[in-house]
Amino acid sequence: MTSTTPAPRPRRVLSGIAAVSWEHPADRAALQALRAAPGFEEVVKKVIAVLGGERGIRLLFQANAVRAGPDQFPRLYALHLEGCTTFDWPRVPELYVSQTPLFNAGAFGVDDPFVVLHSAALEILDEDEIRVLLAHELGHVMSGHALYRTIAEILLVVSLGSLPFLAGIALLPIRLAFLEWYRKSELSADRAGLLGSQDPIAAQRLFMKLAGGVRSGQYADVLNVDAFVNQAHQYAAAHEGLDLIYKLLNTLALTHPMHTVRAAELQQWIRDGAYERILGGEYVRRGTEEARPYREHLEEAASYYRTEAREALGHLVEAARKAAERAREAFRKTQRP
């Protein structure tokens, strides 16, 4: 019997690619701000010491998970190996599946990071979308995000009363700095997810399912990527009245950017041509990162934030102008006989 299963689409191997090739400038800027936060280094050292270093953190996150391998979740593990091959990454991180109903995944650890997928992700995603998710997490590993994301998870999830060893440290500024960097690090890893899968449609489907995916039933097959991308652009263009303030307040306490924001950011990166240039071989190789001065990375990050601030200010001024016009018109109407 002839198989109807389509042959896997070949992916371009990005030999020796360095993570800086895809990292978002705001990720680098936010990381520098995080490292500069008063008490940050002390918090990191104390958390690692109390948890018992690498081994303790690994035990904390893998206690109720199943480690994937050739004989355990073999197809999932094969997709994980594919991602490492695409990125030419020699050290395959351990991969775990945790029985968790909340759709999520993460990269954790200190010197030897590992990846955890929640079981809900496997129930909702198809194989192409899982490939994007695995490449996303490998991107975190390659960027060196795992340590700080591990500390962030502990600070953001565990109550302060359960962390007496951090008494005397002003944690609120550190939490806010962690949250800002955490969100921006996702934008970098989203680009890695696209590069690892080399499937823009699957990458956008992942955002869509993160936003409102369903497991099964009569509504599971009617999600439309084009409609979701249009929704993302509508959100990005919403600048009327207090929209910008609402967006800021809605985002401050989140670990991840809004999924529509992520979709729009990734689409913009593709439109800018960076994705195709990397597939064409234009990227920084590992071990040569210093070929581009660090000052240039900071300038790029500063430019990104300046642009964001300038656009936000412009929209706020325009909103204020329109509000003033409406107020004047309403006042004139009240003065008419």
Side-chain angles (χ1 to χ4, degrees), residues 53-88:
E54 174 78 48
R55 180 173 176 79
I57 289 174
R58 186 175 296 271
L59 290 173
L60 176 67
F61 281 93
Q62 74 184 44
N64 288 314
V66 175
R67 184 170 60 197
D71 301 317
Q72 196 82 277
F73 291 110
R75 183 56 196 152
L76 177 66
Y77 189 68
L79 292 176
H80 185 45
L81 293 179
E82 279 183 23
C84 293
T85 298
T86 299
F87 284 121
D88 189 26

Side-chain angles (χ1 to χ4, degrees), residues 24-30 184 191 265 272 292 294-312:
H24 196 286
D27 172 9
R28 295 190 288 270
K184 295 304 187 284
R191 295 175 175 184
E265 281 274 355
D272 289 344
R292 184 184 182 195
Y294 185 66
R295 175 179 50 80
E296 291 185 15
H297 295 309
L298 291 181
E299 289 174 354
E300 183 181 356
S303 175
Y304 172 84
Y305 275 111
R306 279 196 302 269
T307 301
E308 271 201 338
R310 185 166 55 248
E311 290 180 355

Side-chain angles (χ1 to χ4, degrees), residues 75-142:
R75 183 56 196 152
L76 177 66
Y77 189 68
L79 292 176
H80 185 45
L81 293 179
E82 279 183 23
C84 293
T85 298
T86 299
F87 284 121
D88 189 26
W89 190 248
R91 192 169 185 174
V92 180
E94 288 186 344
L95 174 64
Y96 293 86
V97 176
S98 171
Q99 181 58 257
T100 310
L102 180 65
F103 180 0
N104 206 348
F108 307 103
V110 181
D111 299 314
D112 188 18
F114 57 96
V115 173
V116 177
L117 298 190
H118 290 185
S119 57
L122 303 184
E123 295 173 0
I124 294 174
L125 302 180
D126 65 24
E127 186 168 281
D128 291 333
E129 295 153 4
I130 290 173
R131 183 180 287 110
V132 177
L133 182 59
L134 288 169
H136 173 105
E137 297 305 332
L138 184 57
H140 281 310
V141 171
M142 293 177 66

